[in-house]
Structures are given as C-alpha cells and as structure tokens.
Amino acid sequence: MDNNRIYYSLYESKIMTAEQAARLIEDKMIIGSSGFTKAGDSKAVLPAFAKRAANEQVGITLITGASLGHTTDTDLANNNALYKRMPFQLDSSLREKINDGSILFIDQHLSETAELLSNRHLPGIDIAIIEATYVDENGNIIPTTSVGNSATFAHLAKKIIIEINTAIPLDFKGIHDVIIPQDYPNRHVYNVTHTGSRIGQDFISIDPEKVIGVVFTEMTDSPARETESDETTTAIADHLLDFFNREIKAGRLTKSLLPLQAGIGKVANSVLSGFAKGDFEHLTMYSEVLQDSTFELIDSGKLDVASASSITVTKACYNTLLANFGRYKDKIVLRPQNISNSPEIIRRLGVIAINTAIEFDIYGNVNSTHITGTKMMNGIGGSGDFARNAYLSIFVAPSVSKGDAISHVVPMVSHTDHTEHDVDILVTEQGLADLRGLAPRERAKMIIDNCVHPAYKEQLQDYYNRALERGGHTPHIIEEALQWHSSLLQLGTMKQFVFQEQG
C-alpha cells in the first residue's frame, strides 16, 4: 500500500480490501467500470466479485468502456455473475454465454454509451469502479492507461469505488484530456481543431462524498497479443500504402495524409507499421486505441501526435513505454470515448478510418460482428462511429480463412453493420477495391475483380451473372444469397456449394 497516492486525507479512512469492496455490490446492481480494450480496467474489485458469485447467487449488469483484461470477463461469466453486459467484449467464455443466451449483451457504438446514460435512456449507475494512478488534493482521480467511459460513470454513479494502481508511474498525469459534455439542448461545441487539441482537464472530477471505498492494486494491464505480420497482413498493408501514394500523386492527400484511425488487432497493426516504410511525414492519429504500431511510428519520427481513449500494447511495448514514458508523454492524449469517437470531430478533422471486417459482400456491405449471421464475435466497437463520418472509410479482411473453407467476400453479408453507403475502400491480400463514385453494379465488378480469392472468384462471378439476369438496381438471387453460409454450417466449407441451374 502506498498512501502517498492519496493526497485527499478523507479517503484514507475508506481504504479496504478488494473483498470488502466487492461486498458493497448488491444483486442486480448496475455497475460502471473503467476499462477500454484491456487498459485501465478493474483489476481487484470485479475479480473479487466474480469469486464471491461462485458461492452466492448474485449478479450485475456490467457496463465498461470496451473489453476487460486478464480473466475478469471469463470469471464473471463462468461464475454467473453477469445478467447483462455492454457495450463490447473480447472474451471467449463470455462470448459463449452470450451466444447461448444465458448472458444478455447489448452491442453499441462506443461513442453512444455515455450519451445513452447521460440522457437516461439506460438505467442509472449504482456504483462506478474506476482505476486511478493517484487521487489529488481535491479528491479527484488521475486515470491510468485509459479514460473510456470512466468520467461519465463517476459523474452519474450514486457511489464510487477507486482502485489505485501503484504499478502506473505518477507522471501519467498530464496525458489525459477529460470533459463531461453539457446536457441537451445546451451542449457546447467540442473545440478539437487538430489531433493534439486539449479541451478539458487532466483528471476526472468527482464528488468526494460519493466515494465508499479505496482499494490498492499493483498490476499491469493485460497485454495485447503478440502477433507478427504474415504474408496476408503484409499484402493488405502494401495495397493500402500503394493506394495512399496514388492519392498523394493525384493531389488528394499530402505526405502527412490526414489523422489516422485503426481498429485493434493484427491487420491494423501491420497496416500502421507499414507507414514507417513509406515516404510519409508528420503523421497524426485520432483513434480509439494506441497500439504497438503507434509507438513504432513515434520512434521512427513519422508520427507527431496520437489521440485515443486507451493504450493497449504487448508486454514488451508496455515495459518500454513505462521505462521511457518521458519520450512519449507530449505526443499522446487520452480522451473519453464519446470524444475520441465523436462523429462530429471525426468528420471535421477528416479522419482516415481503417477497420477490420468479418466479411463483406459484392456491393460493399460489411459485417463486423456476427459469424454466419447469428453468433456474436466481439461487437461493433467504434468502427461505425468512424465509418459513417470518415474522410475515407476503409475496411480490410483476408479473402479466405480456415484453409480456404471460408470466403470473406460473399454474395450477401449474413449480418450488416456498415451499409454500402458508408464504405469507400475494401482491401484483401488479393487487392484493393476503390468504391468511390461507383453504382452498385460497378461496385460488384470492382470487388469481384480485385478482392476475391481465386478459389471463389468463378463461383462468385457465376452468382452475379445470374443475378444480373433477374435485374434490379442491386441484383440478387434472394433464395441463394445466403447459401454460402448455409453450406458452411452444413458442410464445413463454402467451396462445396454448387449453384443449381435456375428453371
């Protein structure tokens, strides 16, 4: 325990163990917890509550910024500690419970959760659990590696539990930019005019009277998975880099591009890392998550400033970051996710959005969330916030997977998260389809010619040719449009599906 992390003396009497704090949570409470893509999450109280639920019939509705780290979501799910979860998750055990219906899941655009809470469209928060680097002399919270929805949770909650994480250096103060928007109809403009703009405070302002417990931890964030670029992700990155170079040559972009956003994961990291190879300069980032590639670009001298809502990196990058924090401090800003994902700011700054698709169809509709149309994978995250409002909306995916058993380019997506109207560029390792200014029939030709794996190109072209015979602005054979997915469920592959001759 490090009481030097508490500069507000009245909190000292509220110091308790994680088990004691977990006892303050009652059955059917609504809990808002810090945590955004494994960063800055509850590392003590929620795990203690999961253990308590193993022996008691007690559960909660849990709202976070995004996914939690370590095994917290696993333990909560397996111990029946969750009735409902929102707005995003990455945990296989929780996913299984969501898909069998034993835990209800609300999949939300990440910019919307705070808005829905503030507008009272969701039930009120009973207890907010917020991770802190330390507490200042006024009782306010200096966050750790994420902001997420923490400020909104703390502002709206009836009670607050603070987790002080002594593994985080004290000099984290200064990287956060926290603001609570005014209520409608009196909301002010978010005055973010460039990626590095600061419009708020570097702490979360709270009412000290609401604090019912302070718990100490000393635990780093759960690391992101170490994923090396492979042939597929490298090819996708190369196609995108070639595209950006063509845009620069055409005069639509400069070597500084525009602020970049990239979703989490292997493909996104590979694409961003690729910018270090090109003739780019003074890049900026306005995104949700700062990943390993962000800090690689800073080290390379290519990236001037990066704004997001969390830092989610591998163990090696995390250790380097903490040991050399002064090198990066003036180049990063962490904001609440309703600011990092604000549609108005995204559109005004002209963000270039790069996100990952589960599948897309011949007209450019994108499925980001559901396997074969019914089984939740992770959630829409912030991709919708960015896709609808970006200067360029780009989605990437491998053309095939599972030994070519699955094509990620299909006649019709089995679930639609992003309509063709919000998608500009589609990329697989096979090539890039620039859909700007194209009608549906032109889009179909562009996607089939450039993005489809050879194992499926003839099959998809055959579908489209026969659909054209039926006519329509967006030609489809409705009774066949989802048979690729049916074949996958029944036969384990999309390859074996053979179109029947139409009589």
Side-chain angles (χ1 to χ4, degrees), residues 401-476:
S401 62
K402 304 294 183 184
D404 300 353
I406 298 173
S407 173
H408 294 274
V409 190
V410 293
M412 179 184 285
V413 288
S414 57
H415 176 91
T416 305
D417 292 293
H418 313 284
T419 72
E420 60 184 285
H421 312 291
D422 298 335
V423 179
D424 297 315
I425 309 292
L426 293 169
V427 195
T428 70
E429 81 285 357
Q430 298 298 318
L432 181 146
D434 185 347
L435 307 180
R436 293 175 295 177
L438 301 186
R441 295 184 183 215
E442 294 172 304
R443 284 173 168 241
K445 184 178 188 313
M446 179 69 70
I447 291 168
I448 293 171
D449 287 350
N450 290 283
C451 296
V452 182
H453 191 275
Y456 288 94
K457 184 167 287 191
E458 183 179 352
Q459 188 172 318
L460 196 53
Q461 186 67 56
D462 177 71
Y463 171 85
Y464 180 60
N465 290 342
R466 290 183 296 107
L468 283 173
E469 294 174 4
R470 295 196 175 189
H473 176 64
T474 308
H476 267 304

Side-chain angles (χ1 to χ4, degrees), residues 5 10 12 20 111 150 203 226 228 248 252 256 277 315 347 349 407:
R5 299 269 179 154
L10 294 181
E12 292 182 4
Q20 289 171 322
S111 68
S150 296
F203 57 85
E226 296 192 31
E228 294 292 330
I248 293 168
R252 288 186 287 268
S256 299
K277 306 173 189 174
K315 184 176 181 180
R347 180 160 292 198
L349 295 182
S407 173

